[in-house]
Amino acid sequence: MRTAADIAVAAPDFEHDHATPLARAAEHVVLARHGARLRPAMGRPAATRILVVANQKGGVGKTTSTVNVAAALAQLGQRVLVIDLDPQGNASTALGVEHHRGVPSTYDALVDGVALADVATVSPEVDGLTVVPATIDLAGAEIELVSVVARESRLRRAILGHPEVGTAAELGDERLDYVLIDCPPSLGLLTLNALVAGNEMMIPIQAEYYALEGLGQLLETVEMVKAHLNPTLDVSTILVTMYDARTRLAAGVAEEVRDHFGDQVLKTTIPRSVRVSEAPSYGQTVMTYDPGSPGALSYLEAAREIAIKGAAS
């Protein structure tokens, strides 16, 4: 088995690594702590991919998946922007950026029309990752936007107006590869703005029966948005979270989801993990808090699947 020193020396050959799972875990710890510069970059998509992470059911790992997939993509050499659209600001907390009242935020972009680039801030934890934080002011945005013309497309205009959102032909290497939008646990105007803005959707589903009940309503909303506001929206990714391999229920839910959605479901499932839950209290994602934990390794593999799919499209 290789030592950490061996891993660092062999960094250029990681893509063809066939080491044991323990060695791969040690490898990821070294790479996470020494920066993405040691890891071979994944292929970049030809244009910015805008992923909406939504599920109106709370507690399914939506925000947790958003920040950890974003951090993992950045560690894989992608340039990532996270837009926190939840007034609770949990994604902002996990990514280590300030989001108290008065901080430039998504509220300013949605209500006042401030450019996204002017309210974005660099995450101190992960290179290549920037964040548009959410403040409590966002809680009143739905009311303030009621009388605004084309209120459901405010976020779309803000994202498309970002100088780094576009294709490789237009912007070259300076483009953003991914924009991930963390939605509130509801199907209100904020989530509607996200669905109109995105071209892809990632749905985290908890490996429990109740998580399936609200999925039908969410998919009906998606179909309505596709029919009337955003025909390009596609449910490209479904991620099974809080998976407990010891229970038949988790396996049954995962199997049912895979039978119904096929290739849209990532092969990687996210296990229940205390380390994943602990990380936000330190203003970090699990990718930097405990990069060798099962949760971090699972999110890394999930991000790798997403990146491979994007590079191939």
Side-chain angles (χ1 to χ4, degrees):
M1 184 177 294
R2 299 175 302 170
T3 65
D6 296 331
I7 290 171
V9 171
D13 297 322
F14 284 157
E15 187 175 359
H16 307 290
D17 185 324
H18 300 288
T20 65
L22 183 59
R24 291 185 67 194
E27 172 184 298
H28 180 48
V29 171
V30 172
L31 291 173
R33 290 176 179 167
H34 288 273
R37 58 185 175 80
L38 292 180
R39 188 193 304 280
M42 298 289 296
R44 299 177 65 184
T48 304
R49 295 175 66 187
I50 305 172
L51 276 79
V52 181
V53 186
N55 192 329
Q56 83 275 16
K57 186 182 186 305
V60 299
K62 177 179 54 58
T63 296
T64 299
S65 296
T66 301
V67 298
N68 284 298
V69 166
L73 285 169
Q75 289 182 353
L76 291 170
Q78 311 294 300
R79 300 184 71 236
V80 184
L81 171 66
V82 173
I83 298 176
D84 191 350
L85 207 60
D86 188 343
Q88 298 177 82
N90 292 336
S92 305
T93 298
L95 294 172
V97 299
E98 294 186 358
H99 58 98
H100 55 78
R101 178 166 282 165
V103 171
S105 67
T106 46
Y107 173 87
D108 301 285
L110 282 176
V111 177
D112 297 330
V114 177
L116 274 184
D118 294 337
V119 296
T121 183
V122 176
S123 172
E125 293 298 323
V126 184
D127 292 337
L129 179 60
T130 55
V131 186
V132 179
T135 65
I136 193 62
D137 293 331
L138 196 59
E142 296 200 20
I143 297 174
E144 295 184 53
L145 290 174
V146 166
S147 60
V148 176
V149 176
R151 58 185 179 272
E152 69 280 346
S153 59
R154 301 278 291 185
L155 184 60
R156 178 182 180 86
R157 289 202 300 272
I159 292 175
L160 295 182
H162 193 291
E164 296 178 6
V165 170
T167 65
E170 296 169 341
L171 303 174
D173 292 339
E174 297 304 311
R175 72 189 182 281
L176 285 167
D177 297 305
Y178 293 86
V179 176
L180 272 70
I181 308 172
D182 182 43
C183 297
S186 68
L187 294 178
L189 187 54
L190 292 177
T191 299
L192 180 60
N193 259 268
L195 294 176
V196 172
N199 46 37
E200 298 182 55
M201 187 174 181
M202 181 170 78
I203 305 176
I205 297 179
Q206 185 179 2
E208 293 186 2
Y209 176 74
Y210 284 143
L212 297 176
E213 287 195 322
L215 188 58
Q217 182 183 357
L218 178 61
L219 293 176
E220 286 180 8
T221 301
V222 171
E223 290 303 317
M224 290 178 62
V225 171
K226 289 179 66 173
H228 301 287
L229 297 169
N230 182 11
T232 65
L233 182 63
D234 176 45
V235 179
S236 64
T237 306
I238 294 177
L239 177 62
V240 178
T241 63
M242 303 182 190
Y243 184 84
D244 189 343
R246 300 170 299 177
T247 67
R248 292 182 180 178
L249 174 62
V253 170
E255 183 179 357
E256 187 172 342
V257 171
R258 294 185 196 283
D259 288 344
H260 192 274
F261 293 101
D263 292 340
Q264 293 167 290
V265 185
L266 296 184
K267 296 177 182 177
T268 304
T269 58
I270 308 301
R272 286 189 177 275
S273 171
V274 174
R275 308 301 275 176
V276 172
S277 302
E278 287 177 348
S281 64
Y282 293 89
Q284 298 182 51
T285 66
V286 75
M287 307 306 297
T288 55
Y289 176 67
D290 190 356
S293 66
L297 295 172
S298 296
Y299 273 117
L300 182 73
E301 289 303 314
R304 197 188 305 273
E305 284 190 61
I306 293 170
I308 291 172
K309 184 184 298 185
S313 60

